[in-house]
């Protein structure tokens, strides 16, 4: 004989299951929309920090409470002139300069300077013992307030602020990204598993003075 109480509990579970599934789906949608999102890497512009087909996890909430910091890796909605896609496209780059920063290339050791401080960039792409230059051209810019100067770690293969500064005839607005177009901060590589790592800010950015 089937226990009547057990039968009632079983029936209640199956009645509640669609509600539980609905709540789980809603939570997942809300988390993706407002808190965390995954992105895959389609290009070599951030090598060797990020490889093609890496998956990264992006914190979409952090910049609701503060502005992006130098050295952080960010996902942003690229301007049409950057992507050539009128429907919009997500790019991922590293923040080098924030609003008000004076960014210059280069010092006698061929390092980028921010507000007079030279920064070491150990993440810049290298292969066969040869590292990319910090920039393929000298520049001297001041980042407008509310905008960001961003560069790829693979400097010789990145469509970034420097490339668009050159292509636009040194138009600083065309070369920089509005802060409100930043989707979020990429803070970890989670796939493939053997490449899982945190995307931290190099300590060389710690001593950069405010403009």
């Amino acid at each position: 004989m089937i226990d009547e109480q057990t039968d009632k509990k079983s029936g209640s579970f199956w009645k509640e299951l669609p509600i539980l599934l609905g709540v789980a789906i809603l939570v997942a949608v809300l988390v993706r929309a407002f808190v965390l999102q995954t992105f895959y890497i389609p290009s070599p512009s951030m090598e060797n920090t990020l490889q093609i087909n890496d998956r990264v996890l992006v914190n979409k909430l952090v910049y609701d409470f503060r502005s992006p910091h130098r050295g952080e890796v960010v996902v942003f909605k690229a301007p049409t002139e950057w992507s050539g896609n009128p429907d919009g496209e997500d790019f991922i780059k590293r923040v080098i300069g924030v609003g008000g920063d004076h960014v210059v290339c280069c010092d006698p050791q061929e390092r980028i300077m921010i507000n007079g401080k030279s920064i070491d960039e150990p993440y810049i792409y290298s292969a066969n013992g040869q590292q990319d230059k910090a920039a393929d051209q000298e520049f001297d810019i001041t980042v407008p307030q509310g905008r960001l100067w961003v560069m790829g770690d693979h400097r010789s293969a990145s469509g970034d602020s420097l490339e668009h500064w050159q292509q636009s005839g040194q138009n600083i607005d065309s070369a920089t990204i509005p802060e409100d177009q930043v989707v979020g901060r990429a803070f970890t590589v989670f796939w493939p598993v053997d490449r899982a790592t945190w995307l931290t800010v190099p300590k060389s950015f710690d001593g950069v003075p405010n403009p």
Side-chain angles (χ1 to χ4, degrees):
M1 178 181 292
I2 298 174
D3 185 89
E4 186 175 342
Q5 188 173 3
T6 301
D7 190 44
K8 285 181 179 180
K9 287 182 178 179
S10 177
S12 175
F13 170 78
W14 290 109
K15 287 179 182 178
E16 293 175 358
L17 183 59
I19 297 174
L20 294 173
L21 290 174
V23 169
I25 292 170
L26 178 60
V27 169
V29 169
L30 290 174
V31 167
R32 187 181 188 280
F34 299 108
V35 183
L36 298 174
Q37 188 170 347
T38 62
F39 287 86
Y40 86 98
I41 307 305
S43 77
S45 71
M46 283 294 292
E47 291 177 340
N48 286 317
T49 303
L50 302 174
Q51 303 284 356
I52 294 174
N53 294 326
D54 278 357
R55 264 60 173 179
V56 299
L57 197 58
V58 173
N59 183 333
K60 300 176 69 176
L61 194 61
V62 60
Y63 297 138
D64 288 340
F65 300 96
R66 66 168 176 83
S67 294
H69 292 170
R70 306 177 193 96
E72 292 179 338
V73 177
V74 299
V75 171
F76 59 91
K77 296 294 182 184
T80 301
E81 58 267 29
W82 282 42
S83 66
N85 185 351
D87 295 328
E89 189 173 337
D90 292 326
F91 276 27
I92 186 165
K93 306 290 180 191
R94 190 180 299 274
V95 177
I96 301 298
V98 300
D101 279 348
H102 182 208
V103 186
V104 177
C105 179
C106 285
D107 73 2
Q109 285 74 48
E110 298 188 348
R111 296 173 299 179
I112 285 176
M113 295 184 291
I114 307 172
N115 302 330
K117 183 183 187 301
S118 298
I119 58 168
D120 293 313
E121 298 184 274
Y123 47 75
I124 290 180
Y125 175 81
S126 63
N128 301 317
Q130 295 294 316
Q131 187 178 52
D132 276 3
K133 293 182 178 180
D136 62 7
Q137 177 179 318
E138 293 184 355
F139 65 91
D140 186 333
I141 62 96
T142 298
V143 184
Q145 291 295 334
R147 302 183 76 89
L148 305 169
W149 179 273
V150 297
M151 301 180 77
D153 290 356
H154 192 167
R155 297 287 159 83
S156 61
S158 178
D160 53 23
S161 287
L162 180 56
E163 180 182 77
H164 292 283
W165 183 77
Q166 295 167 339
Q167 291 181 352
S168 65
Q170 302 184 5
N171 183 319
I172 192 61
D173 287 331
S174 296
T176 50
I177 298 299
E179 284 189 17
D180 61 11
Q181 292 301 300
V182 176
V183 175
R185 178 186 176 186
F187 65 94
T188 186
V189 178
F190 71 91
W191 190 264
V193 174
D194 61 355
R195 283 187 39 75
T197 187
W198 298 108
L199 299 173
T200 58
V201 176
K203 292 188 178 299
S204 56
F205 285 91
D206 291 349
V208 174
N210 290 325

